[in-house]
Amino acid sequence: KKNGYITLGSYNRVEKISDPILQVWCDVMKALPDSRMILKFGGLEGETAERLKAKFAQHGIDPSRVETRGHTPREEHIRQYSDIDMMVDSWPHVGGITTLEAAMMGVPCVTLLGPRAPSRVSASILTSLGMTDWIAETPEQYVQIAVEKSRQDLSELRAGLPARLKATTVGNPTAYTRELEQVYRDAFRMWATHVSSNGEAA
């Protein structure tokens, strides 16, 4: 909390910010009255930004607590992850690259688990990082996790996240490629076995 208050953030595309998750974010901000929110995406400018801030206002959150940022060069975009203390994931289409980028920059992410693949990507990443305690199964648990984590000293976790990410398969391009190649080999062997056993022409 470099500013003396918790700064939440979402750098996911604006179309991923559904009404249900915005309500959850507002519940978190109500439980943390000194908190601030930074929303960043390339199209989050002008009228789009104003409409989004208006939605926060409809839920009782002063728009002055919500900062919107638009497109920046890649290097500056990555740097701006350091401006937030905690990533709050979108839903039901959660982050993927943004969750990885946040971890790379030492920013933990709270996510809401859903029933389909698009709402489980962040949970998969967090599981590989050994951070299952950041995965919520209900909106209420999401709020609880965000509030409880915001009251903890996250400095050690943040400092160790980049190295922790590099130690995982998803954070190691070479290891990831080797595992993917093995998946392809296994799939081919299963197909070849099926063809052979059924007497089908390849």
Side-chain angles (χ1 to χ4, degrees), residues 55-172:
K55 287 188 175 183
F56 278 88
Q58 291 169 8
H59 289 291
I61 300 299
D62 189 328
S64 66
R65 296 173 62 190
V66 181
E67 179 183 348
T68 55
R69 301 180 181 181
H71 174 77
T72 56
R74 174 68 177 170
E75 183 177 341
E76 175 61 15
H77 175 75
I78 295 298
R79 187 207 66 75
Q80 288 190 24
Y81 278 95
S82 63
D83 293 341
I84 61 178
D85 299 304
M86 181 190 304
M87 180 71 68
V88 285
D89 209 0
S90 54
W91 188 91
H93 196 162
V94 302
I97 296 300
T98 51
T99 306
L100 289 170
E101 288 176 342
M104 180 178 71
M105 293 301 292
V107 180
C109 174
V110 56
T111 190
L112 176 59
L113 193 63
R116 297 180 176 84
S119 55
R120 302 177 74 90
V121 178
S122 290
S124 178
I125 294 169
L126 291 170
T127 298
S128 71
L129 291 169
M131 297 171 60
T132 55
D133 52 325
W134 288 79
I135 302 171
E137 296 186 2
T138 66
E140 294 77 15
Q141 189 179 21
Y142 186 114
V143 175
Q144 179 183 4
I145 291 172
V147 171
E148 289 181 353
K149 296 298 185 183
S150 73
R151 292 171 176 164
Q152 297 175 8
D153 182 356
L154 300 176
S155 57
E156 185 175 349
L157 172 63
R158 288 174 59 96
L161 257 184
R164 191 185 294 194
L165 177 63
K166 288 182 180 179
T168 67
T169 299
V170 72
N172 184 322

